[in-house]
Structures are given as structure tokens and as C-alpha cells.
Amino acid sequence: MTGVIEISREKFEQLVAEALDTIPPELTKVMDNVVLVVVDDPPEPDLLGLYTGIPLTERGEWYAGVLPDRIEIYRNPICSICETEDQVVEEVQITVVHEIAHHFGIDDDRLHELGW
């Protein structure tokens, strides 16, 4: 790699919002009790994003009064693996889709089978 791209937090948050806007409305309208946030650094190395919560497929009648699921998108690791803003846009899109898929109960193995 020739260098790491620097993108401001504000611009990165805009890229995450734009990636979220590409998710089909029929999916976003059934997303439930989930918040998506940008965080500069992950809790452990090599993470680009993290979903924490109870996937929709595991929720039952008992599911009420719980804190929202949380999707974190990590700015610094994504920027560190990219050389251009276009690469950041693509990596943000992939990461947002990947973490939202976890909210829908799709695990990493299935995501890899689907090409994500």
C-alpha cells in the first residue's frame, strides 16, 4: 500500500448514512430496535464493524423493554486499509451491509457464501 487515506469523522458519518440509504426500504422498515453509530477505534484489532444485540430471528414474545441492538462502524480501521476515498466508500458499504445482515440473523459463514 502506498498510503492511508484520511477522512474526517463528519465525512465518514456521511458515507455511513449514504450506505444505509442503499439498503432496500423493505428491509430498513423491518429493522427494529437498532442503532447504527460511527466509532473511531474498535474494541479489538482488525474489526471494521460490530453488531451487538439480539437478531430479529431470535426474538420471541419475551422480547420487550431491552436496549437497542448496536451496530458500530469503525472509522480508523476502514481508513487504514484504504488508499482512496472510493475504496473507503466501498468498504463502508460492505461493512454496513454485513452488520445489518447480522441484525437479520445472517451469520458470517452464510454471508461469505453469499459473497459478502
Side-chain angles (χ1 to χ4, degrees), residues 75-108:
R75 183 175 68 93
N76 289 333
I78 289 176
C79 289
S80 75
I81 63 169
C82 298
E83 295 181 13
T84 67
E85 188 169 320
D86 286 344
Q87 288 176 342
V88 174
V89 169
E90 181 179 357
E91 198 58 55
V92 165
Q93 177 70 40
I94 290 167
T95 305
V96 167
V97 168
H98 186 98
E99 301 311 327
I100 288 174
H102 290 322
H103 176 68
F104 283 100
I106 302 171
D107 65 17
D108 284 334

Side-chain angles (χ1 to χ4, degrees), residues 30-35 50-71 99-106:
V30 295
M31 290 175 63
D32 183 44
N33 200 30
V34 61
V35 62
L50 181 66
Y51 167 77
T52 306
I54 302 167
L56 295 175
T57 54
E58 295 179 18
R59 297 178 185 181
E61 291 180 21
W62 56 268
Y63 186 85
V66 298
L67 291 174
D69 292 3
R70 184 173 174 95
I71 293 173
E99 301 311 327
I100 288 174
H102 290 322
H103 176 68
F104 283 100
I106 302 171

Side-chain angles (χ1 to χ4, degrees), residues 13-46:
E13 288 173 350
Q14 180 183 350
L15 295 176
V16 170
E18 290 169 3
L20 190 56
D21 287 344
T22 68
I23 305 297
E26 57 271 17
L27 292 179
T28 57
K29 73 179 181 184
V30 295
M31 290 175 63
D32 183 44
N33 200 30
V34 61
V35 62
L36 191 145
V37 296
V38 170
V39 177
D40 286 338
D41 297 302
E44 58 186 72
D46 302 323

Side-chain angles (χ1 to χ4, degrees), residues 3-19:
V4 173
I5 189 163
E6 293 288 331
I7 294 188
S8 71
R9 184 177 181 90
E10 181 180 10
K11 174 67 174 174
F12 193 87
E13 288 173 350
Q14 180 183 350
L15 295 176
V16 170
E18 290 169 3

